[in-house]
Amino acid sequence: MPDDFSIVRSSEDSIQIQFTQTICPETNARIQAVCAALEREELSSRLFITETVPSYCALTVYFDEGKTPFEELMNVVQKTARNSAYPAVSKNTYIVHEIPVCYDGDFAPDMKNVCRNAGLSRKEVITLHSAPDYLIYMLGFMPGFPYLGGMDSRLETPRLKTPRTKIPSGSVAIGGSQTGIYPAESPGGWQIIGRTPLKLFDPEKEPSVFLKPATEYDLFLLTKIHF
């Protein structure tokens, strides 16, 4: 049976395992299983793996180029990816974070854009956006920014044609088919529909990031966003 993944050299000190190009909990769980296996101390130390970076449909593995036996690395990575079947996804493993959100006034400058694009009322947009359980697929773009899966497709809205130079910390936004939360003030082009008072990134704390993506067989969720 042929492998359902491919491995490519993405830079001098990294390779990428590319899985089925479908954003779903099963693919995410498999990526996290492979990630956890490669990060185990004895394997990581032997292969001089310095970092693993999961994303929606791929896992990038960084290594010390001067010390890593590359052929062995490729063999181990291929074997690990091949033997990591799609784990069963069960809600019993979810860890739930409740995120309070205000969808009103100045906290939601792009609510009208989303309503217009979807052909829905403000109340309908809020109801649809706050209803699902959102799986945290990965953190990226900036420390602590969660990329969330599970948004109702009716809320898909194109990014702003001209990104803002300053978006307040805690802004809840929609970008295409995704939704997420800005953990700190930054530029950005997503449609802002609300804000949470929770601080998702604090460099003075340990850990500094409030949310985290899934780990092996433990799917962490950002669940109901209240307004």
Side-chain angles (χ1 to χ4, degrees):
M1 181 177 177
D3 291 333
D4 60 350
F5 62 89
S6 60
I7 303 175
V8 298
R9 186 83 179 251
S10 49
S11 70
E12 290 184 353
D13 62 350
S14 69
I15 58 174
Q16 187 175 84
I17 314 168
Q18 299 175 343
F19 293 90
T20 304
Q21 297 299 295
T22 302
I23 299 174
C24 64
E26 290 75 20
T27 298
N28 178 256
R30 185 176 182 189
I31 288 172
Q32 296 299 341
V34 176
C35 182
L38 293 175
E39 285 183 343
R40 291 190 182 110
E41 186 173 353
E42 72 281 0
L43 189 58
S44 179
S45 298
R46 189 179 91 225
L47 297 175
F48 299 97
I49 293 173
T50 57
E51 186 179 12
T52 53
V53 181
S55 60
Y56 280 125
C57 304
L59 175 64
T60 302
V61 180
Y62 290 88
F63 56 90
D64 187 324
E65 186 191 10
K67 299 178 180 178
T68 300
F70 186 73
E71 187 174 338
E72 181 184 0
L73 172 69
M74 289 292 287
N75 289 337
V76 170
V77 168
Q78 186 172 45
K79 182 178 179 181
T80 302
R82 183 179 295 137
N83 293 338
S84 296
Y86 288 92
V89 178
S90 168
K91 274 204 170 187
N92 294 329
T93 64
Y94 289 171
I95 292 179
V96 177
H97 298 280
E98 297 282 350
I99 308 296
V101 172
C102 178
Y103 291 95
D104 290 330
D106 293 341
F107 296 137
D110 299 317
M111 179 64 78
K112 288 183 179 179
N113 294 343
V114 176
C115 291
R116 189 183 306 113
N117 186 75
L120 299 170
S121 69
R122 174 182 170 278
K123 184 176 180 180
E124 289 171 326
V125 168
I126 293 171
T127 298
L128 290 175
H129 188 263
S130 61
D133 288 345
Y134 291 103
L135 178 62
I136 303 174
Y137 278 88
M138 60 181 178
L139 302 181
F141 165 55
M142 60 188 304
F145 186 103
Y147 284 85
L148 309 175
M151 188 179 73
D152 192 296
S153 60
R154 286 172 287 182
L155 299 181
E156 292 184 16
T157 309
R159 293 169 174 78
L160 297 172
K161 290 183 178 179
T162 303
R164 290 185 173 89
T165 58
K166 184 185 295 185
I167 291 177
S169 172
S171 293
V172 177
I174 291 174
S177 62
Q178 305 170 104
T179 188
I181 307 171
Y182 285 82
E185 184 180 288
S186 76
W190 289 26
Q191 305 274 356
I192 309 302
I193 62 168
R195 194 183 305 175
T196 179
L198 294 183
K199 195 166 187 177
L200 302 190
F201 174 68
D202 187 347
E204 302 299 320
K205 289 186 177 181
E206 181 58 43
S208 59
V209 175
F210 176 66
L211 300 172
K212 62 187 297 184
T215 55
E216 185 179 18
Y217 303 109
D218 291 317
L219 303 182
F220 286 72
L221 292 185
L222 174 65
T223 190
K224 295 205 174 180
I225 298 177
H226 300 297
F227 56 93

